[in-house]
Amino acid sequence: IEPNYIYRANKMPNDPMIAQLWGMNNFGQKDKDSAVGVKGIDIGATEAWDIETGSDNVIVAVIDTGVDYTNPDLAPNMWTNEKELNGKKGVDDDNNGVIDDIYGYNATNDSGDPKDDHGHGSHCSGTIGAKGDDGKGIVGVNWNTRIMGVKFLDSNGSGSLEGAIKAIDYASKMGAKILSNSWGGGGESQTLKEAIERSNSAGALFVAAAGNESNNNDANPTFPASYQVPNVLAVAAIDNRGQIASFSNYGKSSVHVGAPGVNILSTTTTGYEAWSGTSMATPHVSGIAALLASHEPSLTNLELKNRIITTARPIAGL
């Protein structure tokens, strides 16, 4: 006598580069440096996709160098501001203080065009939500989602405190559920902390890169990841063998989870490239949060954070 087991098709997208995405599905393949991975050291995306592949009801703000909204793998999953899209050019149709902000906001020049002129923000966006099952390129954690481009870092990858605050406030105001923040630096700022607190009040989850200085954030805080605001979720980077990346910051009490961040293939302004950093780990977690929010839309930002932390798998490398 046996149970009458239920079997399901393993839902796998047809994106041709998926075998190179060890962070989604690590089956022991080599990365671009020929490092052989350990099977199962990944975010469990293929198992999750049998349950949920994302929803265009969830808005993820990528606060970064912008997003290349013309990239064929990103364009279908871009957030669009319908009032501006269908409004008059040169007019602030939704009265939010930004003119023609169809795909998001650019705090570097206070415009409505968040087009990426660096590549970093597009790379993060691809991990979160490159269109899935479209027969081209890669796939994000979410096959379907809405990516809001919020640019405050310039073509050199640097930006100001003022820009960061404007970016966070825009994303919070315009309804982003998840704010993905692959940036850091500077000292502790009360005004930046208050902007993150406003995002918490707006119900957003603030996912932040732990930093790339091989630093113990418990002893030497790194911002914005170390702000003591309830909605901040700090992310370290691991490699395809489950070891903490040599560059990654860490901290028993101040860094919450680790995620794939070494030789991560994703979209850029010039195609597809494999990059490393806690910047690459962060969008894996932002993507997980968006996928979870798609499946359980009633979860609050703090419930999303708690679920991600409590269900993360303990690994020896961390």
Side-chain angles (χ1 to χ4, degrees):
I1 298 171
E2 282 189 311
N4 186 17
Y5 294 114
I6 304 299
Y7 299 108
R8 295 184 177 88
N10 287 326
K11 200 167 185 180
M12 285 290 283
N14 60 13
D15 305 79
M17 300 166 87
I18 188 169
Q20 299 176 57
L21 305 179
W22 72 262
M24 307 285 179
N25 181 29
N26 190 340
F27 53 85
Q29 70 269 51
K30 293 179 180 179
D31 67 14
K32 80 176 181 69
D33 292 334
S34 297
V36 179
V38 173
K39 186 177 180 180
I41 296 294
D42 54 40
I43 64 167
T46 55
E47 294 90 344
W49 291 334
D50 285 341
I51 302 167
E52 177 66 60
T53 56
S55 164
D56 59 10
N57 292 322
V58 178
I59 302 170
V60 185
V62 178
I63 300 175
D64 211 290
T65 62
V67 180
D68 182 5
Y69 45 78
T70 64
N71 184 301
D73 234 350
L74 298 177
N77 281 344
M78 288 301 299
W79 170 81
T80 52
N81 183 344
E82 295 300 320
K83 286 184 179 177
E84 295 289 349
L85 180 67
N86 300 311
K88 293 180 181 177
K89 190 171 184 180
V91 174
D92 181 9
D93 299 283
D94 59 356
N95 295 310
N96 70 348
V98 187
I99 295 170
D100 297 337
D101 51 324
I102 294 171
Y103 300 111
Y105 171 55
N106 185 337
T108 68
N109 59 14
D110 209 30
S111 80
D113 185 6
K115 184 78 180 290
D116 190 358
D117 52 7
H118 179 283
H120 192 270
S122 298
H123 199 281
C124 295
S125 298
T127 296
I128 294 167
K131 180 68 175 177
D133 208 34
D134 61 350
K136 57 175 171 266
I138 63 163
V139 60
V141 181
N142 298 266
W143 301 9
N144 304 292
T145 190
R146 287 200 287 166
I147 297 167
M148 177 190 289
V150 188
K151 177 177 173 64
F152 88 99
L153 301 175
D154 61 20
S155 59
N156 297 313
S158 62
S160 70
L161 169 63
E162 180 189 12
I165 292 167
K166 285 181 174 180
I168 294 165
D169 281 341
Y170 177 89
S172 302
K173 181 179 181 180
M174 298 304 288
K177 178 79 172 180
I178 292 108
L179 314 185
S180 192
N181 299 273
S182 290
W183 52 274
E188 187 169 7
S189 161
Q190 182 61 29
T191 50
L192 182 55
K193 183 181 181 184
E194 288 171 2
I196 298 170
E197 288 171 341
R198 287 192 292 274
S199 78
N200 184 40
S201 298
L205 178 66
F206 190 93
V207 187
N212 301 331
E213 296 80 37
S214 308
N215 173 66
N216 182 349
N217 287 1
D218 288 356
N220 184 28
T222 300
F223 300 104
S226 295
Y227 285 117
Q228 296 299 303
V229 183
N231 67 329
V232 173
L233 179 56
V235 184
I238 61 169
D239 64 21
N240 66 352
R241 298 173 302 285
Q243 299 300 310
I244 190 163
S246 60
F247 54 78
S248 181
N249 290 0
Y250 55 93
K252 192 170 184 179
S253 63
S254 59
V255 179
H256 301 102
V257 290
V262 179
N263 288 330
I264 302 302
L265 184 72
S266 191
T267 45
T268 68
T269 51
T270 56
Y272 300 90
E273 295 179 23
W275 292 5
S276 299
T278 54
S279 282
M280 282 64 250
T282 300
H284 278 91
V285 177
S286 300
I288 288 168
L291 200 66
L292 186 51
S294 299
H295 193 62
E296 297 183 49
S298 64
L299 291 176
T300 67
N301 55 347
L302 302 187
E303 287 171 338
L304 285 171
K305 175 182 173 178
N306 184 60
R307 179 79 66 84
I308 289 168
I309 293 170
T310 56
T311 60
R313 287 178 294 159
I315 56 173
L318 294 176

